[in-house]
Amino acid sequence: MSERDQGVKNPSRRALLRGGLAGGGAALMAGLTAGKSIAAGDPAITDIQDWNRYLGDGVDAAPYGMPSEFEADVVRRNVAWLTADTTSSINFTPLHALDGIITPNGVCFERHHGGVAEVDPMQHRLMIHGLVEQPLVFTMQDLMRFPRQNHAYFLECAANSGMEWRGAQLNGCQFTHGMVHNVVYTGVPLRALLEEAGVKTDGKWLLAEGADAAAMTRSIPMEKVLDDCLVAFKMNGEALRPEQGYPVRLVVPGWEGNMWVKWLRRLEVGDKPWHQREETSKYTDLLANGKARRFTWVMDVKSVITSPSPQAPITHGKGRTVVTGLAWSGNGTIKDVDVTLDGGRNWHKARIDGPSLSKSLHRFYYEFDWDGSELFLQSRAIDELGNVQPTKDALRAARGENSIYHNNGIQTWYVRADGVTENVEIS
Amino acid sequence: MSERDQGVKNPSRRALLRGGLAGGGAALMAGLTAGKSIAAGDPAITDIQDWNRYLGDGVDAAPYGMPSEFEADVVRRNVAWLTADTTSSINFTPLHALDGIITPNGVCFERHHGGVAEVDPMQHRLMIHGLVEQPLVFTMQDLMRFPRQNHAYFLECAANSGMEWRGAQLNGCQFTHGMVHNVVYTGVPLRALLEEAGVKTDGKWLLAEGADAAAMTRSIPMEKVLDDCLVAFKMNGEALRPEQGYPVRLVVPGWEGNMWVKWLRRLEVGDKPWHQREETSKYTDLLANGKARRFTWVMDVKSVITSPSPQAPITHGKGRTVVTGLAWSGNGTIKDVDVTLDGGRNWHKARIDGPSLSKSLHRFYYEFDWDGSELFLQSRAIDELGNVQPTKDALRAARGENSIYHNNGIQTWYVRADGVTENVEIS
């Protein structure tokens, strides 16, 4: 409380009030929380708390606001054993603690291969060259002079849920599914910049390169580039965060996250793909027959229940219970989400709430009366093309046992009678 | 740079690179920014910057992420002379620096009358009493057991632009129009809680009271309560920020901001309004005939150009220019926005981009080729009911000269030939 207390005019009076009220307040509160009904004429229960008895912080306390100290656990978290060093590492969005479809900028998961580049926007340049009529260099200010668009898109790492291929490994949807986030991007269509440069007729691929120490580099077919890719400079209204590519990143809607090149500095037009490291030795999957899947760009239809989940167990006992989760597809919108309480014997249609936007997260809810018996919770999404989220076993049958990427299989949470929830796999 | 530097593995090497490159880099860059075209075969301009030569911060640097240090000016700002003390004060959203329709939680304007209450969510209770069959008390956990909804809504203080009634006072849209923000709320319909309590037939009004030191209190007609009010606990996916009412606030879509009671602790059902301080001596407007407008709940159709604006002047000279701004209406969606460059002689239809959602901010753009002559920029919004944003003169003719609240008049920015932009009023 120390930081906040500094803004309070009279901490001694406040401390006094706290101390003086603690005993009586607790006793009264205990009686009221056991049952929720109160009789008219009960003592005014809203008077027993102290925060209405002192002036709080003024507006100068936080020119840029932060979450409540009571929410200090809602942060991105790392998995220590996952990579050798945090400079080349991953953290995960706290999906279990969020609601709706927007991911706040402060908790959007990170994945970078050379740490967070610290780019001065006044010095940064974006170059377009290769098979173009006129090579061009853009300052950030130049980019802002093109017509802008705004879209909510999910960004999912191809490796999201990758550790679950070999069964239930991680106890929490933050860790199993937290390499996804969803923000509203503001940017200019990549098509507009390429039209300025003039793509030659044999220009069929685009190489995108980042300005970070890893010089992250991917090849993208021109058809996708001209369809819906954005060169984005804002997320959820404000400038991109450094770990999300400040001051400018590529947005490749519905496609795997590492193509969304951050700290974007170079776009080269060519007649064939470049076969860079991150599209050959990485981000490919060895199949049982010895061949590898590669250029697996689209993120397939997927969903996960975010609450209840291992980090968000049921603590209220029997009765009314809200099941909620997220669904998404790189193919467009989500048409339906089904939820099962019994490991797939009976499926119930969930309620999708909030905007249903193409290549964006969708929020779903399923409300039921819990009788206190154990649950095997699963969700199953169906996208606008009719693709149905598969089981993990179906994925293994199709792709063998060597895969890391593109696990969009159905996830199971086991809820015990006491509400404690675990990551399990059932066949 | 100090905070960020702490995370760098080898600052001495990094400092060396910076020092060694500064001279040559600057010279080369000067040549490239003058003209944007480059010849194929030019030296690789992307090699001259140093941030791709050292590893950046790892993921442990910021469990809860923050904006770039280069964006340190994009914060809420106070107007020192506006109120006597910052504990009972206002700050303003930096609209001039944002884009799209989402306001990031960290820069949503604040208005509070007794400072920011510091509420423990485990101790907080919401009581419903008065003309109900069964008075009830809810914990935060109780509230989470009702079916939830998600909606993007603007929240505008009734006093937004209030200082402009007497002509152009403040030089920047952050200060003239920054008492508005727009986030996606997650909450439960107030209707569902009242159905649980059972409203008696003579229950026609609801009193909402906050748990802050000001015990902010407003009367709301039951028709609105049952229509679309929410008891919200999340904004843009995460818990409400303390200054926005953590852990729970009322959402009264399209209606003036001080009815959206923060730190909501008490809801009383009654048969008539309570005539509290904030709906009698405050938040009313004295008309020329000596009567006062009161219960002026709906926020009328309004818009403002956010860039160019006094805090976001044109710095790129003649040629392609993007005009952008926000439009909103408490009556629903925005149908059209018109933009004029010459103080209203010629109007041009702007392009609304991004989701068009009821009682939400809308983002508009108008792109044109600037010839470098002076501009008198205005925007004019029309909502789905056909209401047209009025001039300030029309408002003064209707309401006299004493008003503070509900100024939705057309705003004028004067852009000089050198791009510097000022707040002016023209007749």
Side-chain angles (χ1 to χ4, degrees):
Chain A
M1 302 258 174
S2 57
E3 188 180 349
R4 195 163 281 274
D5 278 350
Q6 290 166 17
V8 174
K9 298 280 171 191
N10 191 345
S12 61
R13 170 159 161 75
R14 174 179 164 185
L16 183 70
L17 283 164
R18 280 197 169 149
L21 286 162
L28 181 53
M29 200 56 78
L32 286 163
T33 52
K36 284 178 288 184
S37 310
I38 55 170
D42 272 357
I45 60 121
T46 54
D47 273 347
I48 63 167
Q49 290 148 337
D50 71 339
W51 43 72
N52 62 327
R53 303 196 180 201
Y54 57 85
L55 287 175
D57 284 350
V59 297
D60 292 340
Y64 194 96
M66 290 292 287
S68 165
E69 61 197 32
F70 294 105
E71 300 294 317
D73 285 343
V74 183
V75 291
R76 299 181 287 211
R77 292 187 186 280
N78 201 353
V79 173
W81 50 262
L82 195 58
T83 54
D85 190 300
T86 59
T87 51
S88 170
S89 195
I90 301 168
N91 61 18
F92 301 86
T93 307
L95 298 179
H96 63 289
L98 305 180
D99 212 322
I101 64 166
I102 298 291
T103 315
N105 292 343
V107 294
C108 287
F109 87 95
E110 299 169 68
R111 172 72 176 121
H112 29 77
H113 300 73
V116 178
E118 186 185 37
V119 179
D120 179 347
M122 297 298 288
Q123 298 298 318
H124 186 69
R125 298 293 182 273
L126 171 60
M127 177 168 71
I128 297 182
H129 69 138
L131 298 176
V132 294
E133 301 298 335
Q134 176 58 61
L136 293 172
V137 169
F138 300 91
T139 64
M140 287 306 299
Q141 190 179 57
D142 294 336
L143 295 177
M144 306 280 181
R145 299 176 76 172
F146 287 82
R148 300 172 206 164
Q149 293 185 2
N150 295 276
H151 297 277
Y153 289 129
F154 76 83
L155 186 168
E156 185 182 16
C157 179
N160 198 22
S161 317
M163 290 174 283
E164 301 294 297
W165 273 104
R166 285 161 189 79
Q169 303 277 318
L170 292 166
N171 212 26
C173 71
Q174 178 169 15
F175 305 108
T176 57
H177 288 73
M179 282 199 282
V180 66
H181 56 67
N182 202 67
V183 305
V184 179
Y185 294 96
T186 304
V188 300
L190 183 45
R191 172 193 277 272
L193 303 183
L194 288 171
E195 283 173 352
E196 195 80 3
V199 175
K200 293 185 175 175
T201 51
D202 52 348
K204 299 300 182 193
W205 287 79
L206 185 75
L207 186 75
E209 181 185 81
D212 58 329
M216 184 70 198
T217 320
R218 285 293 305 253
S219 307
I220 309 172
M222 191 59 75
E223 188 180 8
K224 176 68 175 175
V225 164
L226 299 179
D227 177 22
D228 61 1
C229 289
L230 293 179
V231 172
F233 34 83
K234 303 262 186 189
M235 58 193 292
N236 290 336
E238 66 183 353
L240 293 174
R241 294 295 177 84
E243 61 270 37
Q244 303 299 335
Y246 179 84
V248 59
R249 85 175 304 165
L250 202 58
V251 168
V252 190
W255 287 23
E256 62 184 28
N258 84 339
M259 306 180 79
W260 299 46
V261 172
K262 300 192 278 194
W263 314 291
L264 184 68
R265 70 165 178 177
R266 189 166 73 89
L267 295 166
E268 182 178 350
V269 178
D271 58 357
K272 51 188 176 300
W274 280 257
H275 308 295
Q276 296 284 341
R277 175 182 185 272
E278 308 294 346
E279 54 200 20
T280 52
S281 87
K282 303 293 176 187
Y283 299 98
T284 55
D285 284 311
L286 187 63
L287 300 176
N289 65 4
K291 295 195 174 183
R293 295 174 85 229
R294 61 175 305 208
F295 290 153
T296 46
W297 299 308
V298 177
M299 299 309 295
D300 297 312
V301 61
K302 190 166 176 178
S303 70
V304 65
I305 291 171
T306 55
S307 177
S309 66
Q311 297 160 289
I314 301 178
T315 57
H316 55 57
K318 298 179 187 180
R320 296 181 190 184
T321 303
V322 173
V323 173
T324 187
L326 294 165
W328 62 97
S329 169
N331 297 305
T333 58
I334 293 294
K335 192 172 67 180
D336 275 314
V337 180
D338 301 321
V339 167
T340 179
L341 307 176
D342 53 15
R345 281 198 291 275
N346 299 284
W347 290 94
H348 314 277
K349 186 165 288 192
R351 177 173 61 87
I352 293 174
D353 189 83
S356 172
L357 303 168
S358 184
K359 303 170 189 175
S360 165
L361 294 188
H362 289 57
R363 171 63 58 177
F364 66 86
Y365 300 99
Y366 177 69
E367 296 95 5
F368 76 107
D369 270 307
W370 187 37
D371 63 5
S373 60
E374 65 181 19
L375 306 170
F376 289 91
L377 289 178
Q378 298 177 334
S379 63
R380 179 179 65 188
I382 300 105
D383 71 18
E384 66 172 81
L385 297 187
N387 297 304
V388 181
Q389 187 179 0
T391 63
K392 289 185 197 174
D393 282 346
L395 285 171
R396 291 183 189 114
R399 300 193 203 154
E401 303 285 334
N402 297 315
S403 286
I404 296 172
Y405 304 106
H406 292 275
N407 170 17
N408 65 321
I410 290 171
Q411 183 71 32
T412 310
W413 305 130
Y414 166 53
V415 182
R416 301 187 335 202
D418 62 1
V420 171
T421 303
E422 295 169 11
N423 181 8
V424 299
E425 191 164 344
I426 55 176
S427 292
Chain B
M1 301 257 176
S2 59
E3 188 180 350
R4 193 162 282 275
D5 278 348
Q6 290 164 17
V8 174
K9 297 281 172 190
N10 191 345
S12 62
R13 171 160 160 73
R14 175 180 165 184
L16 183 70
L17 283 163
R18 280 198 168 147
L21 287 161
L28 182 52
M29 199 58 77
L32 287 163
T33 53
K36 284 180 287 188
S37 309
I38 54 171
D42 272 355
I45 60 118
T46 54
D47 274 347
I48 62 167
Q49 289 148 338
D50 71 338
W51 42 71
N52 64 326
R53 302 196 180 201
Y54 58 86
L55 287 176
D57 284 349
V59 297
D60 292 340
Y64 194 96
M66 289 293 287
S68 165
E69 62 197 30
F70 293 105
E71 300 294 316
D73 284 342
V74 183
V75 291
R76 298 181 288 213
R77 293 188 186 280
N78 201 352
V79 173
W81 50 264
L82 195 57
T83 55
D85 190 300
T86 60
T87 52
S88 170
S89 195
I90 301 169
N91 61 18
F92 300 85
T93 307
L95 298 179
H96 63 288
L98 305 180
D99 212 321
I101 65 167
I102 299 291
T103 314
N105 293 342
V107 294
C108 287
F109 87 96
E110 297 169 69
R111 172 72 176 120
H112 29 77
H113 300 73
V116 179
E118 186 185 38
V119 179
D120 179 346
M122 296 300 287
Q123 298 298 318
H124 186 69
R125 298 293 182 274
L126 171 61
M127 178 167 72
I128 297 182
H129 70 137
L131 298 176
V132 294
E133 301 298 335
Q134 176 58 60
L136 293 172
V137 169
F138 299 91
T139 63
M140 287 305 299
Q141 191 179 58
D142 293 336
L143 294 177
M144 306 280 181
R145 299 175 75 172
F146 287 83
R148 299 171 206 163
Q149 293 185 2
N150 295 277
H151 297 277
Y153 289 130
F154 76 83
L155 186 169
E156 185 182 16
C157 180
N160 197 24
S161 317
M163 290 174 283
E164 301 294 298
W165 273 104
R166 286 163 188 77
Q169 303 278 319
L170 292 166
N171 212 25
C173 71
Q174 178 168 17
F175 305 108
T176 58
H177 287 72
M179 282 199 281
V180 66
H181 55 67
N182 202 68
V183 305
V184 180
Y185 293 97
T186 305
V188 301
L190 183 44
R191 172 193 278 271
L193 303 184
L194 288 171
E195 283 173 352
E196 195 80 1
V199 175
K200 294 184 176 174
T201 51
D202 53 346
K204 299 301 182 193
W205 287 79
L206 186 75
L207 186 76
E209 182 185 81
D212 58 330
M216 183 72 198
T217 320
R218 284 293 306 253
S219 306
I220 309 172
M222 191 59 74
E223 189 180 6
K224 176 69 176 177
V225 165
L226 299 180
D227 177 21
D228 60 2
C229 289
L230 293 179
V231 172
F233 34 80
K234 304 261 185 188
M235 58 192 293
N236 289 338
E238 67 183 352
L240 293 174
R241 294 295 177 85
E243 61 271 37
Q244 303 298 335
Y246 180 83
V248 61
R249 85 174 305 164
L250 202 59
V251 168
V252 190
W255 286 23
E256 61 183 28
N258 84 338
M259 307 181 78
W260 299 45
V261 172
K262 300 191 279 194
W263 314 290
L264 184 69
R265 69 165 178 178
R266 190 166 73 89
L267 295 167
E268 182 178 351
V269 178
D271 58 358
K272 51 187 176 300
W274 281 258
H275 308 296
Q276 296 284 341
R277 175 181 185 273
E278 309 293 346
E279 54 202 19
T280 52
S281 88
K282 303 294 176 188
Y283 299 99
T284 55
D285 284 312
L286 188 62
L287 300 175
N289 65 3
K291 296 195 175 184
R293 296 173 87 228
R294 62 175 306 210
F295 290 152
T296 45
W297 298 310
V298 176
M299 299 310 294
D300 296 312
V301 61
K302 191 167 175 177
S303 70
V304 66
I305 291 170
T306 55
S307 177
S309 66
Q311 296 160 288
I314 301 178
T315 56
H316 55 56
K318 297 180 190 181
R320 293 181 191 185
T321 302
V322 173
V323 173
T324 186
L326 294 165
W328 61 98
S329 169
N331 297 305
T333 58
I334 294 293
K335 193 173 64 178
D336 275 315
V337 180
D338 300 321
V339 166
T340 178
L341 306 176
D342 52 17
R345 279 198 291 275
N346 298 284
W347 290 94
H348 314 276
K349 186 164 287 194
R351 177 173 62 87
I352 294 175
D353 188 84
S356 172
L357 303 168
S358 185
K359 302 170 190 176
S360 165
L361 293 187
H362 290 57
R363 171 64 57 179
F364 67 85
Y365 299 99
Y366 176 70
E367 295 95 4
F368 75 107
D369 269 306
W370 186 37
D371 63 6
S373 60
E374 64 181 16
L375 305 170
F376 289 90
L377 290 177
Q378 298 176 332
S379 63
R380 179 179 65 187
I382 299 106
D383 72 17
E384 66 173 82
L385 299 186
N387 297 303
V388 181
Q389 187 179 0
T391 64
K392 289 185 197 174
D393 283 344
L395 285 172
R396 290 185 191 112
R399 298 192 203 155
E401 303 285 335
N402 298 315
S403 286
I404 295 172
Y405 303 106
H406 291 274
N407 171 16
N408 65 321
I410 289 171
Q411 183 71 33
T412 310
W413 305 130
Y414 167 54
V415 182
R416 300 188 335 202
D418 62 2
V420 170
T421 303
E422 296 170 9
N423 182 7
V424 299
E425 191 165 344
I426 55 176
S427 291

